[in-house]
């Protein structure tokens, strides 16, 4: 259990674990193919909502293949933040069922300030992202807490809404 390395070093270390599992790992991009699905890791300190929406709406990613590139269809994307993401990014993912099943968010900002408690939003079925979470817990002692905020009353079915209004 050591101190948390910079995000790009963290992903590089994780990619070595993926190779040992027999998964295909891109040498140049942070993309892993496991069981026929591509899993993409993106890291950012800050991202603006418009840029985030543009990136998550495009599931294609160029992969360097020798001297040329090929385009792959990414099934899952994980965003790793070294600073807290703005709250409306989280809400945007939660409010979009397709994104909630294909996009994971990892807020590692507290870990970079010395805490072992980090927030995640991962409702995907990505085996690579589950392995990433295990890696963070085992190698760095991080405690990943799922960041699903409580739904506002207008998201509740009618019977529960009436109970809350009593």
């Amino acid at each position: 259990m050591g101190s948390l390395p910079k995000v790009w070093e963290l992903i590089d270390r994780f990619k070595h674990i993926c190779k040992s599992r027999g998964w295909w790992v891109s040498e140049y991009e942070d993309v892993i193919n496991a069981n026929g699905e591509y899993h993409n890791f993106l890291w950012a300190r800050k991202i603006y909502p418009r840029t985030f929406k543009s990136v998550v709406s495009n599931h294609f990613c160029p992969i360097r293949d020798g001297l040329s590139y090929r385009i792959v269809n990414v099934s899952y994307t994980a965003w790793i933040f070294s600073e807290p993401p703005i709250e409306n990014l989280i809400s945007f993912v939660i409010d979009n069922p397709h994104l909630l099943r294909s996009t994971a968010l990892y807020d590692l900002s507290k870990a970079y300030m010395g805490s072992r408690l980090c927030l995640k939003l991962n409702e995907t079925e990505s085996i690579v992202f589950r392995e990433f979470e295990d890696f963070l817990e085992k190698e760095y002692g991080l405690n990943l807490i799922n960041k699903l905020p409580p739904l506002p009353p207008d998201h509740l079915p009618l019977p529960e809404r009436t109970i809350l209004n009593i």
Side-chain angles (χ1 to χ4, degrees):
M1 199 171 26
S3 65
L4 198 62
K6 301 289 185 193
V7 175
W8 56 88
E9 294 169 354
L10 184 74
I11 294 173
D12 279 344
R13 291 178 185 180
F14 176 65
K15 286 167 64 175
H16 289 291
I17 290 173
C18 293
K19 285 180 186 177
S20 73
R21 290 214 167 274
W23 297 337
W24 178 86
V25 175
S26 172
E27 185 176 342
Y28 302 101
E29 292 82 21
D30 296 326
V31 176
I32 295 147
N33 185 315
N35 300 339
E37 296 178 310
Y38 287 95
H39 308 254
N40 190 17
F41 285 88
L42 300 174
W43 43 276
R45 195 173 336 169
K46 290 183 181 180
I47 189 160
Y48 294 98
R50 177 180 245 160
T51 305
F52 180 81
K53 290 175 185 178
S54 174
V55 172
V56 298
S57 68
N58 182 6
H59 295 277
F60 297 102
C61 177
I63 302 286
R64 189 169 166 184
D65 192 6
L67 297 175
S68 61
Y69 285 84
R70 62 186 167 103
I71 304 296
V72 298
N73 188 359
V74 174
S75 300
Y76 301 103
T77 301
W79 290 80
I80 303 170
F81 295 98
S82 58
E83 291 184 12
I86 56 177
E87 194 64 34
N88 61 356
L89 290 184
I90 296 168
S91 299
F92 180 71
V93 172
I94 290 170
D95 291 342
N96 184 324
H98 175 71
L99 280 182
L100 194 58
R101 289 187 303 272
S102 64
T103 304
L105 307 176
Y106 296 97
D107 177 3
L108 303 182
S109 60
K110 291 184 180 183
Y112 286 109
M113 293 186 295
S115 174
R116 294 292 173 208
L117 186 67
C118 295
L119 298 176
K120 72 172 180 172
L121 174 62
N122 182 7
E123 297 297 313
T124 72
E125 294 182 1
S126 167
I127 59 172
V128 173
F129 298 168
R130 299 285 186 245
E131 185 70 29
F132 180 67
E133 292 170 12
D134 288 346
F135 166 74
L136 292 175
E137 291 171 2
K138 290 176 186 167
E139 294 294 319
Y140 301 101
L142 298 184
N143 185 6
L144 298 169
I145 305 299
N146 203 18
K147 172 73 171 150
L148 267 178
L151 294 174
D154 60 342
H155 278 78
L156 295 174
L158 193 54
E160 281 116 12
R161 223 181 302 155
T162 54
I163 291 170
L164 288 177
N165 291 332
I166 294 177

